[in-house]
Amino acid sequence: MAGNKSSPTAILGGGAWGLSTALALLEDGYTNVTVFDRASEIPSPYSGGFDLNKIVRAEYEDPFYTKLALEAIQRWKTPFYGPYFHQTGYVVANSSAAPQKAIDHLEHALASVQNHPTFAPGITPLRSHQDFKDIFWQFTGQMTGFKGYYNKLAGYVHSSNAMQGVHQYLEANGVKFILGDLDGKVTKLLYSGDGPSRHCTGLQTADGVTHGAQVTISCLGAYQASLIPEVGYFTVAKSWSVAHVELTEKECDYLRGIPVLNMRDMGFFFEPDPATRLFKLCPLGAGYINTDPKTGISLPSLHSLPPPQDYIPAEDERKLRRLLQETLPWMANRPFVDQKMCWFSDTRDSEYCIDFVPNTNQSLIVLTGDSGHGFKMMPIVGQWCLSLLKDGNQKLSRWQWRDNGTPKQDWGDEVSWRIGTTKEIGEVIAEQNRRMQSKL
Ligand SMILES: Cc1cc2nc3c(=O)[nH]c(=O)nc-3n(C[C@H](O)[C@H](O)[C@H](O)COP(=O)(O)OP(=O)(O)OC[C@H]3O[C@@H](n4cnc5c(N)ncnc54)[C@H](O)[C@@H]3O)c2cc1C
């Protein structure tokens, strides 16, 4: 498979992982790579990475992911990726109202970095109000009972700009892009043969055109199960809310350079984006799914396609306003703009899946289950796909295809870094509408 570098290779989805894969193939000498995306331009508004920023941190309870994240951070610091990476530092903390699960998680995260040779010199425990003021001198809020730590070796990437930059490079270097809701939207995978001789031979797009491929690599993020329904048995399309406050130029300058603050029991925010003057906030929680009662599979909800939607659940808005009240109270009652539900592909255990689809004779690959922590890996994801192509099978059992058989109902609430319970987005919206009606 790896020898046929001039045969057509199709990458479905030009999001973070699809672009990374196209780049790795290009660098490895593949000369006939086409990326299909339903969006008319990259970055796609359907991508989980269509955003101002994503946290880049390497503290994981599992050293396997710490190692990968450290490798990715090295790549973010190269001239190619560097323009998108901002090593502002990262504060992880809990307020005095945090549930035990959040406190436990923070302790594990701190332990994983405090004794790690790479991180240790850059870690500062934050135990008092003054400790927080020393780092966030701009904060005038009470920061009630805030406790946590500061990690110098982390920060964020401008995710939309990173995808745009990689796309431009790929296009300029011969990777073909077929974009748009007709030409680029993949509606069907094509197969020949049955049983053990089945092959994926390519795909069909919404305009009815068929495209042959020797290898098809599907990187559809939250939409993966729309083409390969079996993926919906071990992954789930899940969403988190995103909101922004529009700042003046002065306010923006005032907050420039603050570390990313991740309050485990409320949410997180980043330094404002100087180009748009938007200050992005994201509440933390177990997320919202959209399960089809007939199939048991969750795909992104039509209520939230594509942004701007200007909607987030009321419970998330409350969390974010409390976060602002505790830190930057002058912002706490400002209107939220560009609110949206942002979709990703979750697994029950936060493990990715990078593998051949069974019974396709190595002709169809899925890169899925980013579990909401996949953007930081963008510089190295493509290497994982290359290794799979070269090895002919997935050697890491944690990333193998999971043959679970039926959709499951427990979607990752047990994962240590998620606080709360996963909810159906349709039920949340219906409840909110009922409340509004009763007020009229
Ligand atoms: C609110 C939020 C916050 C997050 N924060 C972080 C963070 O701080 N750090 C971090 O590392 N990660 C974070 N993530 C996760 C990160 O966004 C994902 O891991 C990453 O985007 C996964 O990349 P992907 O390529 O698998 O999917 P995506 O980037 O979602 O790309 C999927 C692509 O498939 C395309 N597509 C869909 N259907 C079709 C079709 N039928 N035909 C053609 N194209 C199609 C879409 O247009 C899109 O471009 C966050 C996610 C969310 C939602």
Side-chain angles (χ1 to χ4, degrees):
M1 209 54 83
N4 300 322
K5 292 182 179 173
S6 55
S7 303
T9 302
I11 297 178
L12 318 189
W17 286 17
L19 293 168
S20 174
T21 301
L23 181 60
L25 293 181
L26 178 72
E27 286 172 343
D28 201 57
Y30 282 72
T31 55
N32 195 352
V33 176
T34 306
V35 179
F36 295 83
D37 201 290
R38 64 179 295 190
S40 53
E41 54 187 55
I42 305 289
S44 157
Y46 300 97
S47 159
F50 184 71
D51 224 342
L52 288 177
N53 34 44
K54 298 289 177 197
I55 300 172
V56 175
R57 45 94 193 177
E59 53 263 63
Y60 276 91
E61 283 159 275
D62 183 343
F64 172 80
Y65 283 100
T66 298
K67 192 164 167 287
L68 292 178
L70 283 172
E71 199 184 318
I73 290 174
Q74 285 318 308
R75 290 286 204 101
W76 282 114
K77 289 180 172 173
T78 58
F80 183 75
Y81 280 110
Y84 318 112
F85 180 55
H86 304 277
Q87 194 172 309
T88 51
Y90 176 54
V91 169
V92 194
N94 278 311
S95 78
S96 52
Q100 193 58 43
K101 187 178 177 188
I103 295 167
D104 292 346
H105 172 72
L106 194 137
E107 276 168 15
H108 289 142
L110 177 57
S112 78
V113 285
Q114 223 169 7
N115 300 316
H116 191 289
T118 311
F119 297 103
I123 302 295
T124 312
L126 307 175
R127 298 196 181 89
S128 66
H129 186 86
Q130 191 53 49
D131 288 347
F132 279 85
K133 277 296 267 189
D134 288 345
I135 300 230
F136 295 106
W137 56 267
Q138 298 93 332
F139 286 9
T140 50
Q142 295 290 314
M143 299 187 258
T144 317
F146 277 26
K147 285 200 169 44
Y149 68 91
Y150 168 69
N151 173 6
K152 201 170 91 178
L153 267 190
Y156 72 92
V157 284
H158 194 307
S159 47
S160 282
N161 286 358
M163 290 197 287
Q164 188 186 39
V166 175
H167 167 238
Q168 279 169 358
Y169 176 84
L170 291 170
E171 223 174 21
N173 285 280
V175 172
K176 197 169 161 204
F177 280 80
I178 300 185
L179 303 177
D181 237 341
L182 277 179
D183 309 16
K185 181 175 178 184
V186 182
T187 49
K188 206 162 128 186
L189 291 169
L190 306 173
Y191 295 96
S192 72
D194 273 326
S197 62
R198 188 172 81 133
H199 270 83
C200 176
T201 55
L203 57 117
Q204 185 173 318
T205 40
D207 54 3
V209 176
T210 59
H211 303 264
Q214 189 202 20
V215 182
T216 301
I217 304 170
S218 193
C219 307
L220 296 184
Y223 300 83
Q224 194 70 75
S226 63
L227 284 187
I228 310 173
E230 301 90 320
V231 169
Y233 298 162
F234 62 88
T235 71
V236 67
K238 188 177 267 189
S239 57
W240 284 322
S241 307
V242 172
H244 305 85
V245 177
E246 199 167 1
L247 300 180
T248 63
E249 201 175 331
K250 251 189 194 160
E251 290 165 343
C252 195
D253 288 345
Y254 178 59
L255 294 177
R256 185 85 56 80
I258 57 167
V260 179
L261 174 66
N262 186 348
M263 292 301 297
R264 306 289 323 154
D265 55 325
M266 287 183 267
F268 54 95
F269 58 67
F270 303 74
E271 69 168 339
D273 174 50
T276 56
R277 288 193 272 104
L278 291 177
F279 181 81
K280 181 188 137 181
L281 301 125
C282 197
L284 270 167
Y288 304 91
I289 58 176
N290 181 45
T291 313
D292 179 337
K294 288 200 202 98
T295 60
I297 289 173
S298 166
L299 282 168
S301 133
L302 292 176
H303 298 292
S304 53
L305 288 178
Q309 308 131 21
D310 247 10
Y311 163 83
I312 59 168
E315 59 186 288
D316 282 352
E317 176 165 355
R318 277 193 295 276
K319 264 192 213 170
L320 293 180
R321 297 212 178 273
R322 185 161 79 86
L323 174 62
L324 288 172
Q325 191 62 46
E326 289 285 347
T327 52
L328 297 159
W330 52 271
M331 230 196 270
N333 296 314
R334 288 275 186 93
F336 285 166
V337 299
D338 189 15
Q339 302 178 84
K340 58 185 177 182
M341 303 305 296
C342 177
W343 293 85
F344 63 102
S345 163
D346 204 18
T347 60
R348 213 161 292 114
D349 51 9
S350 265
E351 294 283 3
Y352 307 150
C353 173
I354 314 287
D355 204 357
F356 292 105
V357 175
N359 304 322
T360 58
N361 286 294
Q362 301 180 354
S363 57
L364 177 62
I365 291 174
V366 278
L367 273 61
T368 192
D370 66 273
S371 300
H373 63 104
F375 203 94
K376 70 173 73 61
M377 305 291 186
M378 184 179 175
I380 57 171
V381 169
Q383 296 301 326
W384 307 336
C385 184
L386 264 189
S387 302
L388 181 69
L389 281 164
K390 284 176 183 160
D391 295 345
N393 62 14
Q394 179 51 271
K395 295 190 186 313
L396 292 166
S397 59
R398 60 169 81 215
W399 285 358
Q400 282 167 1
W401 176 271
R402 276 85 116 183
D403 219 349
N404 279 1
T406 50
K408 292 267 165 42
Q409 298 305 313
D410 157 30
W411 287 112
D413 292 357
E414 296 310 314
V415 169
S416 66
W417 55 285
R418 309 275 173 73
I419 311 299
T421 314
T422 305
K423 294 183 179 153
E424 288 289 342
I425 187 73
E427 288 170 17
V428 174
I429 292 172
E431 174 59 25
Q432 219 155 293
N433 288 343
R434 271 195 296 278
R435 278 205 207 125
M436 274 167 64
Q437 292 293 333
S438 68
K439 277 187 196 153
L440 290 177

